[in-house]
Amino acid sequence: MKGFSPPRDRILVAEVAGRHLGSVAVKGLPHETAQLRFLLLERSARGLGLGRRLVGAVVDHARAHGERRVVLDTASDLDAARALYAAFGFAKTRSFAGAPWLPARVRSERWELDLT
């Protein structure tokens, strides 16, 4: 929570019947930019539309706080997440060698959504 700075920063949690099934964080960055971070869903929650609702909530939050763009970092092997981001209009802007903890074939990617 170090550096957590509401109202631009927010953590959103998806629950069904009191059970935590997913979450996402939003971090305010300089230059009217929000960063989508840590989109996580329990396997049992996949296909229920919760990921779509969480990403939509991030985009809505960014717009409500005057952000001009949303950025996120992901990995090239996360096909479902990448398809979800593309469905919201995010575009891959960079692809580069993955982090040391990723398999060699997996690339890190930066995706961006222009809100202007």
Side-chain angles (χ1 to χ4, degrees):
M1 297 300 292
K2 186 177 181 180
F4 186 72
S5 182
R8 289 178 69 207
D9 296 0
R10 179 165 284 182
I11 297 172
L12 304 161
V13 176
E15 291 183 356
V16 174
R19 186 169 166 233
H20 178 131
L21 294 178
S23 59
V24 69
V26 185
K27 176 69 181 161
L29 300 177
H31 311 294
E32 299 172 312
T33 299
Q35 183 180 23
L36 183 155
R37 302 195 63 192
F38 308 118
L39 175 62
L40 302 169
L41 286 175
E42 292 289 337
R43 286 196 192 281
S44 64
R46 294 179 186 166
L48 300 177
L50 294 176
R52 179 171 301 282
R53 290 180 67 184
L54 288 168
V55 172
V58 167
V59 172
D60 291 346
H61 177 78
R63 281 194 172 106
H65 287 84
E67 309 294 4
R68 298 179 57 83
R69 71 185 184 131
V70 181
V71 299
L72 65 91
D73 296 310
T74 192
S76 62
D77 64 339
L78 299 176
D79 296 330
R82 293 166 73 241
L84 178 59
Y85 302 141
F88 272 90
F90 283 86
K92 181 173 61 172
T93 58
R94 274 192 307 157
S95 177
F96 46 96
W101 58 85
L102 292 174
R105 63 176 175 71
V106 177
R107 297 183 59 79
S108 293
E109 297 177 345
R110 167 61 59 108
W111 289 60
E112 299 185 15
L113 174 65
D114 184 350
L115 298 177
T116 60

